[in-house]
Amino acid sequence: MPHQKFESANIKPRYPKGVISVWGINSVYPRTPWISAWWAAAFPGFGHMYLGKYLHGIILVIWELVVNNLSHLNMAIALSFLGRFEDAKAIINMDWALLYLAVYIYSIWDSYRCAVEIKKAHLLSEIEDAPVTPSSVNYFDINILDKKNPLFGSIWSFFTPGLGQLYASSTIVGTFILAWWIFVCYKAMAVRTWLYSFLGDFDRATEIVDWQWFLFLPSLYAFAIYQAFVAVNENNTLFDIEQVRYLRVRAENLGQISKNENNTVQVVATFEHSSFVEIVIHDMEKMGIPSENIIALPLENLDSQIHIIDSIHRVDGSSVLDGAMMSATIFSVLGTIYGFVWDWGPIIWGLIGLIGGFILGLIIELVINKKKIKVFSNPKSEVIIEVTCNTSLQNQLIEVLKSRKATGYVIMPQR
């Protein structure tokens, strides 16, 4: 017998908070405008993909790869950084380079503008208290909004860009990034370059690599790692927001009042936001506990402390990885460019630039943010559930709480 009483799919908000479909999960999570503009400057299309405007982003990424390649812009940039200005002038195709300029500026401007508009849409969706249908079951896929670990997303994209996006349930984005990563690596001879570099044959690695295509890789690689982390964070936040709305509406609809009667016991338990909260409520109802005797209260977060890495237990988006990943991208590109003429080659110097830039950016962020900063966010109790049941159900109730991952419980004394 179904116990679901609040059908989110029946409510059509004017300003939705997010959507879950076979193609992925997306939301109007508020993003920082200047960060989206910076990613657009690093690689046109990335700023829009960071905002969740994936169609715009994919179009601009394809445009960047085609027009940049036809104009030989990457080669001209690399030669300019190496001081070979005459060679840079000779190699660049001005017809395509002039066509490139307007779209590049538009990408930066529009990503900033869209970030501002998305913030407004998020505010309006909060005012409207828009619901989100938390799952999508389709012939092709099953997509469920659930808590995941942001660090795992970054780690999978570190090994192969696109995998972290697939882990974050961003099917279209993950497929696109993975496909372009494979294609660009093939055109740049990147796999053989990587192999020769780690075998110590740096001359051979530098000789076979295609500069024009290879210089796409540092920005693509850094963005894939960063975007996977952000995508998991935003999905986790969307889960928290929707569960808070569900619990609040549940309490209002049931008009819950807790009473201490004879032969009853009150048990108070704490949970982190997860699917176990709704499962344990369902378990209690199946035990015969009336719905109005189960009070679920989501807690407001009062901890404004900044964390370097958000965990699956604590997602507030206020990490300091933005500046670190930007610095990593810049130094990875520079390391790759100078790696073409330095010993060790572009692969080794690109990785050194990536890691060194990340550490440098993180140090700068730590210096700028004068508050105490923790490396990892601490788990916290986010939902309190108060249950009034018959004394005979006490032991069974406690077993259910343990099996559904309650962080703690207490049996209230009789008054």
Side-chain angles (χ1 to χ4, degrees):
M1 180 177 178
H3 286 254
Q4 178 67 31
K5 301 178 179 64
F6 311 104
E7 200 63 53
S8 297
N10 292 337
I11 305 172
K12 302 296 182 184
R14 294 179 65 234
Y15 294 95
K17 291 177 183 173
V19 63
I20 292 92
S21 75
V22 65
W23 308 115
I25 298 173
N26 205 354
S27 69
V28 287
Y29 186 87
R31 285 85 163 181
T32 307
W34 71 267
I35 294 176
S36 63
W38 188 92
W39 279 113
F43 201 110
F46 284 177
H48 289 81
M49 294 182 78
Y50 166 71
L51 294 174
K53 292 178 68 67
Y54 298 124
L55 181 58
H56 278 70
I58 289 171
I59 291 170
L60 289 169
V61 168
I62 294 173
W63 172 87
E64 163 70 14
L65 291 170
V66 172
V67 178
N68 189 312
N69 189 56
L70 290 172
S71 65
H72 307 294
L73 186 61
N74 277 352
M75 281 291 294
I77 292 172
L79 292 170
S80 298
F81 272 91
L82 295 173
R84 296 164 56 181
F85 303 112
E86 293 304 319
D87 291 340
K89 290 179 186 177
I91 199 170
I92 194 167
N93 185 326
M94 292 305 298
D95 293 336
W96 285 102
L98 291 174
L99 183 64
Y100 180 93
L101 185 61
V103 181
Y104 181 75
I105 295 173
Y106 167 81
S107 175
I108 299 172
W109 170 79
D110 192 59
S111 62
Y112 187 97
R113 179 191 67 81
C114 289
V116 174
E117 295 301 319
I118 286 172
K119 278 194 169 187
K120 295 177 185 175
H122 173 76
L123 178 61
L124 291 170
S125 71
E126 286 291 293
I127 293 172
E128 192 177 350
D129 196 20
V132 177
T133 304
S135 66
S136 173
V137 180
N138 188 281
Y139 181 79
F140 297 101
D141 199 3
I142 298 172
N143 210 348
I144 299 172
L145 185 63
D146 201 357
K147 300 294 276 287
K148 295 178 177 142
N149 195 319
L151 192 56
F152 285 174
S154 290
I155 290 172
W156 279 116
S157 276
F158 177 84
F159 287 117
T160 300
L163 295 183
Q165 283 70 24
L166 293 177
Y167 170 75
S169 299
S170 297
T171 308
I172 294 295
V173 181
T175 303
F176 178 76
I177 291 178
L178 183 60
W180 273 114
W181 176 258
I182 293 171
F183 179 75
V184 175
C185 282
Y186 170 76
K187 296 292 288 185
M189 298 291 288
V191 176
R192 283 188 176 273
T193 304
W194 178 88
L195 178 62
Y196 286 131
S197 295
F198 282 90
L199 290 175
D201 192 352
F202 303 115
D203 292 335
R204 180 67 174 153
T206 305
E207 179 185 330
I208 67 168
V209 70
D210 185 324
W211 289 31
Q212 171 62 33
W213 284 96
F214 193 86
L215 286 174
F216 287 125
L217 295 178
S219 297
L220 180 57
Y221 186 64
F223 177 75
I225 296 172
Y226 173 79
Q227 199 273 338
F229 182 90
V230 169
V232 176
N233 255 341
E234 293 176 2
N235 292 349
N236 287 356
T237 302
L238 187 63
F239 180 95
D240 290 355
I241 290 171
E242 172 53 22
Q243 190 166 80
V244 168
R245 188 206 66 85
Y246 165 79
L247 295 175
R248 186 175 61 251
V249 171
R250 178 184 183 277
E252 291 171 357
N253 286 359
L254 293 175
Q256 292 166 321
I257 301 175
S258 177
K259 295 181 180 178
N260 232 357
E261 301 173 352
N262 293 333
N263 297 322
T264 63
V265 64
Q266 280 187 312
V267 178
V268 177
T270 56
F271 286 82
E272 296 160 1
H273 277 297
S274 73
S275 55
F276 285 119
V277 173
E278 296 170 49
I279 293 171
V280 79
I281 291 173
H282 177 69
D283 289 343
M284 292 174 188
E285 291 173 344
K286 287 203 302 184
M287 289 169 55
I289 300 174
S291 297
E292 58 272 17
N293 286 2
I294 307 169
I295 302 175
L297 302 171
L299 297 177
E300 291 291 336
N301 173 31
L302 299 178
D303 183 5
S304 60
Q305 195 169 32
I306 294 175
H307 309 95
I308 293 178
I309 295 178
D310 290 329
S311 70
I312 189 172
H313 306 291
R314 171 62 184 276
V315 182
D316 51 23
S318 58
S319 69
V320 296
L321 293 183
D322 296 329
M325 287 306 299
M326 291 177 186
S327 178
T329 306
I330 294 170
F331 281 91
S332 179
V333 171
L334 292 175
T336 300
I337 290 173
Y338 290 107
F340 284 114
V341 294
W342 289 349
D343 291 338
W344 298 357
I347 292 283
I348 302 297
W349 281 111
L351 291 174
I352 291 174
L354 181 76
I355 297 169
F358 179 85
I359 294 172
L360 177 62
L362 188 59
I363 291 172
I364 292 172
E365 287 275 13
L366 295 177
V367 170
I368 292 174
N369 291 284
K370 304 203 182 227
K371 304 177 183 179
K372 281 188 178 178
I373 298 180
K374 292 182 180 178
V375 176
F376 292 97
S377 53
N378 292 330
K380 69 182 188 301
S381 294
E382 297 172 312
V383 180
I384 294 176
I385 295 182
E386 181 182 338
V387 187
T388 303
C389 67
N390 192 282
T391 308
S392 62
L393 295 176
Q394 177 179 322
N395 292 335
Q396 186 181 350
L397 175 61
I398 291 172
E399 289 302 315
V400 168
L401 293 174
K402 289 179 180 178
S403 67
R404 298 309 184 189
K405 310 298 182 185
T407 55
Y409 71 89
V410 63
I411 300 172
M412 298 294 289
Q414 296 287 338
R415 296 188 185 89

